[in-house]
Amino acid sequence: MKKLCSYCHTEAKPYFRSRDYNRRVTQEIFAYYCCPNCGLIFIFPVPEDLGDYYPPTYHFAPETLGILKANAAHERYKIKIIQQYVKQGGLLEIGPSYGCFTYLAKNAGFEAEAIEMDAECSKFLNEVAGILTINSSDVCGALRTVKSYDVIAMWHVIEHLPNPWETLEGICEKLNYNGILVLAAPNPDAFQFHILGRYWPHLDAPRHVMLIPIKLLVEKMEALGMRVELITTTDEGGLGWNIFGWEFFFSNMCADLMVKKMLKIVGRAAARLFSLIEKMEGKGSAYTLVFRKKV
Ligand SMILES: [Zn+2]
């Protein structure tokens, strides 16, 4: 059976096989393929029961709004990025988890709403955080039911979606003119990925079903009538994901909690060692992109 690239429909080549090194939910082996034409990397087959690979501890669950607030502080940089392009209006976050960013957006004056696949997170957002949230794993279907927005945000979500291209089309339809899509995801051109390959924590098999090169997103969004406003791998989030990657690469080597802690320190040292390379634009572990809908 041909493994066709979902972006350019070229036959993809086997790339590597990986396991769930990050969470150890399963001992299964997952095959990843790479498109020789466009560079898209994807898992095949996508596990049918993908939801089963998200352990109960996947989302950090705040017991109160106060705890959410305290944890939201490190996501303020996301609001600053958005406010450079849009100061106010309707904002939709796709995949907010417990909603640290959505909550900050609401406090910054945006009319914030969300679409979230996890039922507990959705309940918290609706009932505790006061953010209108649709509980659905069908992002495209949910998008068809919502109004239009000035900002749509997807922080580390697109790599989880088996149908990213259709989702991006749905998003563009739901953006007002001059509205923006802000999107962050693991960068397959990252220095760390070239060094660590199948062991790269940002591969996160099998939950990350796709690693999308920046140039494909730019091409796709321009074809949908969007203009590039920002491409970076050195925003605060991107720099943080570099450290995360090294910490988890080393701590994933062992299941013992005490040893893990020590290995994380080794990871931090590696992060310092490679920081000069990883701080070069395009080499970081995660990119943040902003696209604006042309009038
Ligand atoms: Zn391709």
Side-chain angles (χ1 to χ4, degrees):
M1 193 176 154
K2 285 185 174 179
K3 316 295 187 297
L4 292 184
C5 167
S6 64
Y7 182 73
C8 74
H9 313 293
T10 302
E11 188 177 354
K13 303 271 179 260
Y15 196 52
F16 54 48
R17 293 148 76 83
S18 189
R19 289 175 187 262
D20 183 4
Y21 298 113
N22 284 352
R23 309 263 178 182
R24 301 181 189 228
V25 172
T26 173
Q27 286 303 309
E28 286 169 77
I29 294 171
F30 301 96
Y32 281 81
Y33 289 77
C34 181
C35 174
N37 182 47
C38 74
L40 183 75
I41 294 167
F42 58 94
I43 199 168
F44 189 90
V46 176
E48 272 178 38
D49 43 0
L50 207 49
D52 292 351
Y53 296 95
Y54 290 79
T57 52
Y58 189 79
H59 297 279
F60 154 77
E63 282 162 12
T64 63
L65 200 55
I67 298 174
L68 179 81
K69 226 175 182 171
N71 275 282
H74 71 281
E75 298 199 25
R76 282 192 200 287
Y77 76 92
K78 295 179 178 175
I79 302 292
K80 285 184 191 157
I81 290 174
I82 284 168
Q83 284 176 331
Q84 289 175 44
Y85 305 98
V86 176
K87 299 279 182 214
Q88 56 186 353
L91 177 149
L92 176 73
E93 182 175 16
I94 299 170
S97 183
Y98 274 88
C100 287
F101 164 75
T102 333
Y103 178 76
L104 289 175
K106 186 185 168 199
N107 279 7
F110 289 97
E111 297 147 35
E113 298 178 8
I115 298 172
E116 168 57 48
M117 71 182 270
D118 184 272
E120 285 301 311
C121 293
S122 301
K123 193 168 181 275
F124 181 88
L125 280 156
N126 275 311
E127 295 176 10
V128 182
I131 290 159
L132 183 66
T133 302
I134 299 172
N135 176 210
S136 174
S137 55
D138 173 15
V139 177
C140 292
L143 275 171
R144 283 192 282 272
T145 69
V146 297
K147 58 173 190 171
S148 295
Y149 300 89
D150 301 294
V151 180
I152 297 182
M154 280 208 292
W155 301 104
H156 289 268
V157 168
I158 199 162
E159 65 273 27
H160 295 259
L161 303 177
N163 56 347
W165 314 114
E166 192 190 346
T167 306
L168 291 171
E169 288 161 16
I171 286 170
C172 290
E173 276 178 30
K174 290 295 178 175
L175 273 174
N176 294 329
Y177 288 116
N178 271 325
I180 61 162
L181 165 67
V182 56
L183 175 161
N187 175 21
D189 294 314
F191 168 75
Q192 218 173 76
F193 186 39
H194 290 149
I195 301 289
L196 305 181
R198 75 186 70 185
Y199 300 105
W200 192 39
H202 295 291
L203 181 68
D204 200 27
R207 290 164 293 274
H208 290 180
V209 298
M210 225 168 268
L211 297 178
I212 308 177
I214 293 172
K215 67 175 171 74
L216 300 198
L217 288 167
V218 169
E219 249 177 53
K220 176 72 181 175
M221 298 310 281
E222 285 181 341
L224 289 170
M226 306 281 287
R227 183 175 72 229
V228 178
E229 292 278 7
L230 175 71
I231 298 176
T232 184
T233 61
T234 61
D235 59 312
E236 193 179 322
L239 297 179
W241 288 118
N242 291 339
I243 300 167
F244 173 98
W246 289 113
E247 283 183 350
F248 273 75
F249 167 68
F250 283 99
S251 68
N252 282 348
M253 289 175 180
C254 181
D256 180 85
L257 284 179
M258 275 306 291
V259 182
K260 264 181 173 305
K261 272 190 183 169
M262 284 157 59
L263 288 171
K264 264 196 177 180
I265 296 169
V266 178
R268 274 202 289 280
R272 269 198 298 277
L273 185 66
F274 294 117
S275 65
L276 277 179
I277 301 172
E278 295 191 295
K279 279 179 181 168
M280 287 161 66
E281 269 305 344
K283 298 286 182 197
S285 288
Y287 50 72
T288 299
L289 313 177
V290 176
F291 300 98
R292 194 191 289 275
K293 187 164 176 173
K294 290 189 219 165
V295 178

